[in-house]
Amino acid sequence: MLLALLALALIAFVLATPLALRRVELWRAERALHASRVRVGPFDELYDPGRERRAEQRARELLRSCVNEEEWGMYRDLGFIRVAGRHTRREVDRAARAAYAYLVYPHKPIVAYVPESGQLLSEYCVEFPDLTGSGGRHRLPASDDVLAKWMALTSDEDRVIRRANMHLIGRQLDPARVRRDLWRLAEWERRRGGRQQVPQSQR
Amino acid sequence: MRSCAKPTGHGTLRDIIGKVAVMKFLRMKPGHGEVLLAEGDPSVEEDEERLVEEFRRQLDEGMWAAVPVTNSGSGRREAQMVREYADIPPESERVIFFPRASGG
């Protein structure tokens, strides 16, 4: 009797072993899949500095092909672009220099200032997040960010300024640094033999 | 040049190729720089349908579209925002899509 029970138990064990092994394999596969899903996050992807560099290089080429020669030189040499403001108080001023202008930095607020006096007016915090970006990447390359701001300001200044958060100067940017940038810009223009005022019509 | 003359048999191949206008749709993408979404000759019906479809898709995804242009009056380089496919200036060679602005 005992022998018969042992034989039955042995047969049951042999028959159940493949099923148990299959269950174990499935469990391990599910666990590995879950682990891989958890591991792939925005900061867990392999960082490829070459990819970012190539993206920035492409963005620089695109920017260069869109802006005028002076603006490109400004960005290449100084790291920012000046965009003339479109609004003027009087119609006769339209032909003259802009009453105000913006300094466009990559991934930093846009700074409004008065070119004639150098007075800093305000910071406009604005960004262009690509929420459809994969791998948690939402930030455009630096030069694309500048180009996006340039396109937005030159095409529909009011819309981008409305969407931006306006702050007093000094919230994110050091006013001393901005003033130094304005001085660098003036020096750059002087060296370039250009005018120091913001021209209304640039080429 | 957006619209092209149909090849008539006159002129060299270069003349004909020169008249074929290809409009490119580019999109700024994080980690990539610009990406070519679509290109085609808007005067060709099939191409235009494809371009219109892509244009709508990008705007539905929340993109802004702009065309770099030269201001005819001042000669200044600037961008022109386009909200509909029909707003694209006829001579445009490219339309750039970029994420819409939000307060930072």
Side-chain angles (χ1 to χ4, degrees):
Chain A
M1 180 70 181
L2 185 62
L3 192 63
L5 284 173
L6 280 172
L8 282 173
L10 186 64
I11 291 167
F13 177 77
V14 169
L15 289 174
T17 299
L19 292 174
L21 284 174
R22 188 175 296 169
R23 294 288 298 176
V24 168
E25 278 175 13
L26 281 172
W27 176 75
R28 288 178 68 180
E30 279 177 8
R31 194 177 168 191
L33 184 65
H34 178 69
S36 68
R37 278 179 186 158
V38 169
R39 196 165 49 245
V40 178
F43 303 106
D44 296 320
E45 277 191 349
L46 286 176
Y47 176 67
D48 177 5
R51 177 178 167 169
E52 301 296 331
R53 198 181 64 242
R54 287 190 296 275
E56 174 57 19
Q57 192 57 40
R58 289 169 67 87
R60 283 177 76 87
E61 288 304 318
L62 184 65
L63 174 65
R64 185 179 190 172
S65 69
C66 291
V67 301
N68 66 37
E69 192 186 333
E70 185 195 25
E71 287 168 328
W72 167 249
M74 205 180 286
Y75 182 67
R76 181 195 57 211
D77 298 342
L78 304 174
F80 57 84
I81 284 181
R82 177 189 55 207
V83 176
R86 299 304 171 97
H87 297 293
T88 53
R89 287 179 186 161
R90 297 175 303 175
E91 193 62 30
V92 291
D93 290 338
R94 288 188 187 279
R97 68 182 71 111
Y100 63 97
Y102 300 103
L103 293 183
V104 176
Y105 295 94
H107 296 306
K108 284 182 184 169
I110 296 168
V111 177
Y113 75 104
V114 181
E116 198 155 334
S117 63
Q119 182 191 358
L120 305 181
L121 298 174
S122 45
E123 288 181 7
Y124 293 97
C125 300
V126 63
E127 52 189 26
F128 298 86
D130 187 348
L131 301 178
T132 63
S134 59
R137 287 192 178 88
H138 302 311
R139 228 163 82 132
L140 296 172
S143 298
D144 271 351
D145 184 68
V146 169
L147 179 57
K149 287 170 180 163
W150 179 87
M151 289 196 295
L153 281 173
T154 59
S155 63
D156 198 343
E157 178 185 341
D158 291 341
R159 180 156 67 155
V160 71
I161 291 302
R162 266 201 314 273
R163 283 175 170 260
N165 290 326
M166 191 188 81
H167 300 291
L168 294 175
I169 287 290
R171 165 104 176 192
Q172 286 192 48
L173 289 168
D174 179 7
R177 191 196 149 172
V178 179
R179 288 195 186 93
R180 195 188 66 194
D181 284 343
L182 288 177
W183 176 82
R184 288 172 61 220
L185 176 59
E187 285 297 300
W188 181 82
E189 288 187 313
R190 189 178 61 77
R191 280 199 306 273
R192 210 167 175 267
R195 295 151 293 177
Q196 291 197 2
Q197 294 89 11
V198 180
Q200 183 68 15
S201 60
Q202 299 169 339
R203 174 69 183 145
Chain B
M1 191 170 163
R2 186 171 163 187
S3 58
C4 67
K6 301 291 179 197
T8 58
H10 301 291
T12 63
L13 182 63
R14 179 176 291 183
D15 292 336
I16 296 166
I17 292 171
K19 287 174 184 172
V20 173
V22 173
M23 185 191 287
K24 291 183 177 180
F25 282 0
L26 306 173
R27 174 170 166 177
M28 295 178 181
K29 289 209 87 168
H32 290 277
E34 94 271 13
V35 173
L36 178 65
L37 298 170
E39 63 181 329
D41 180 354
S43 64
V44 176
E45 197 174 337
E46 283 179 13
D47 285 9
E48 188 174 35
E49 282 175 10
R50 200 159 36 81
L51 290 170
V52 170
E53 192 180 332
E54 188 61 41
F55 187 90
R56 285 181 184 150
R57 199 165 67 87
Q58 292 302 316
L59 262 57
D60 288 346
E61 284 187 17
M63 296 290 120
W64 278 354
V67 179
V69 293
T70 301
N71 186 303
S72 56
S74 63
R76 176 175 51 190
R77 295 286 293 165
E78 59 187 22
Q80 181 179 326
M81 208 69 89
V82 284
R83 292 180 171 85
E84 289 181 21
Y85 180 83
D87 295 340
I88 300 173
E91 71 280 4
S92 303
E93 292 177 352
R94 58 191 172 168
V95 179
I96 300 174
F97 295 91
F98 60 105
R100 63 178 61 182
S102 64

